[in-house]
Amino acid sequence: MTALDDDKPTPRGELVIQVIPLPSDTNPNGDVFAGWLVKQMDIAAATMAGRISLGRNATVAMDRMEFLSPLRVGSQVGCYGELVEVGRSSMKINIEVWTLDRTAKAPRKVTEGLFVYVAIDEHGRIREVPAQNG
């Protein structure tokens, strides 16, 4: 996002998954578990990594996350993915989470994180990521 975008922030990357947290996804205080959200982000990043690597992949690392705003039950949650870097066998994928509350007109950013994956073969050994076109 550039300084010109600050008045109208929008997600970076493509929408990979969209989910709605349910009451069963909350702690006893009624707040959506952070772990539930990290799971959704990992699913989104793994989905992108699978498309990029054309096969199996494994999570190697997740960068730190800061929660910018709360996530409410019943809100529409979108995980947006952006390929940051491809190495010989690894992929760095940034995932941004945006939510649209039931009574809101504009989405808001909840968090983001950098996920690192490695391509693996059917035996679980590291393999090369196919060359990317474009």
Side-chain angles (χ1 to χ4, degrees), residues 67-105:
F67 293 91
L68 307 173
S69 61
L71 185 55
R72 297 180 180 92
V73 168
S75 297
Q76 188 175 327
V77 178
C79 293
Y80 294 80
E82 180 179 45
L83 179 62
V84 175
E85 181 181 328
V86 176
R88 188 183 75 73
S89 61
S90 65
M91 299 150 281
K92 290 184 180 179
I93 299 168
N94 192 66
I95 299 292
E96 284 189 3
V97 177
W98 287 70
T99 186
L100 182 61
D101 297 330
R102 288 180 283 185
T103 58
K105 293 186 180 187

Side-chain angles (χ1 to χ4, degrees), residues 7-71:
D7 60 338
K8 295 179 187 170
T10 57
R12 290 181 301 164
E14 67 176 277
L15 179 62
V16 182
I17 65 169
Q18 203 165 29
V19 294
I20 296 176
L22 303 173
S24 61
D25 301 317
T26 63
N27 62 27
N29 296 321
D31 301 319
V32 174
F33 282 114
W36 179 89
L37 186 55
V38 173
K39 176 183 173 182
Q40 305 311 314
M41 295 171 74
D42 195 27
I43 290 169
T47 299
M48 280 195 74
R51 288 185 202 146
I52 295 161
S53 68
L54 302 177
R56 287 183 65 188
N57 56 78
T59 309
V60 174
M62 290 181 267
D63 201 352
R64 75 183 185 118
M65 295 172 38
E66 293 180 23
F67 293 91
L68 307 173
S69 61
L71 185 55

